[in-house]
Amino acid sequence: MKIAFAAAAISTLLLANCVGVRAKKHTYTASSGAVEVGGATVEVQFRPEGTKGPNMMLTAMVIGGGFATFDGPFRWRVEALGEIGEQEKLIVHRIRTRTSKSGRDEWFPRQHLGFEKSFRPLKGQAGVSRARYEIPGLLKVKPEEDGRLDVWIDLSIVGRDATVRQTLRFALDPDTKRADEVVFLPVEIVKSIGTEPEDWEDSMWD
């Protein structure tokens, strides 16, 4: 009886969590691209957490069916790609954001920054390492309403031989992209078991 119940539960989970997504994203694209610091290339990335339209539901683990538009606010992070053995840690010290349309000019609270993120070998790319620094909380902007976004990031790359600290400016333009995919959530959950969040791949990030 218990085995039959368990099998039914797994079957229900699989059916409930195989989801097709047809959507577009309001996001940002950096006009200047990645910047080199201490031998690593650094960029800022965004993942929309809001939606428009009644046919979508987005939670921490589940996306539920149909078509909609993904929009801000955003999860955001700094990603650095380096060479295995050359770069060791990424540290973000300060962040400032400024929007063109709404005129917001803000500094991110420094007490939530300053943590070290290690460079880890990047799966599938020989000799390449990666560090990801996910910034706490959500960036509460919307590309259509707030317009162009400028981000200043004061960061350090700790290398094998030296530490390089630099303030980077990213000029980010509002952009619209498609987000069409089929997600098998149990598979994605199993793939993440035993790995660090810094190693997870997610196509919703830009």
Side-chain angles (χ1 to χ4, degrees), residues 20-117:
V21 178
R22 294 187 305 109
K24 64 179 180 179
K25 297 183 288 183
H26 289 161
T27 185
Y28 286 101
T29 298
S31 57
S32 56
V35 181
E36 183 173 335
V37 180
T41 56
V42 181
E43 64 179 349
V44 60
Q45 300 177 334
F46 302 90
R47 187 187 193 284
E49 291 295 297
T51 61
K52 293 181 179 180
N55 296 323
M56 290 291 296
M57 179 182 69
L58 178 63
T59 69
M61 293 295 288
V62 178
I63 301 174
F67 177 88
T69 299
F70 293 101
D71 202 350
F74 296 89
R75 286 167 55 194
W76 52 325
R77 68 188 181 193
V78 179
E79 179 173 281
L81 296 178
E83 183 180 347
I84 291 177
E86 294 299 321
Q87 293 79 26
E88 297 176 356
K89 298 182 184 298
L90 165 67
I91 307 170
V92 176
H93 305 287
R94 297 185 301 164
I95 299 175
R96 176 189 174 193
T97 59
R98 184 175 67 190
T99 58
S100 61
K101 283 186 180 181
S102 54
R104 295 164 54 185
D105 192 339
E106 301 172 337
W107 287 91
F108 193 85
R110 294 184 65 174
Q111 64 267 29
H112 300 307
L113 301 173
F115 304 102
E116 297 180 347
K117 294 296 181 179

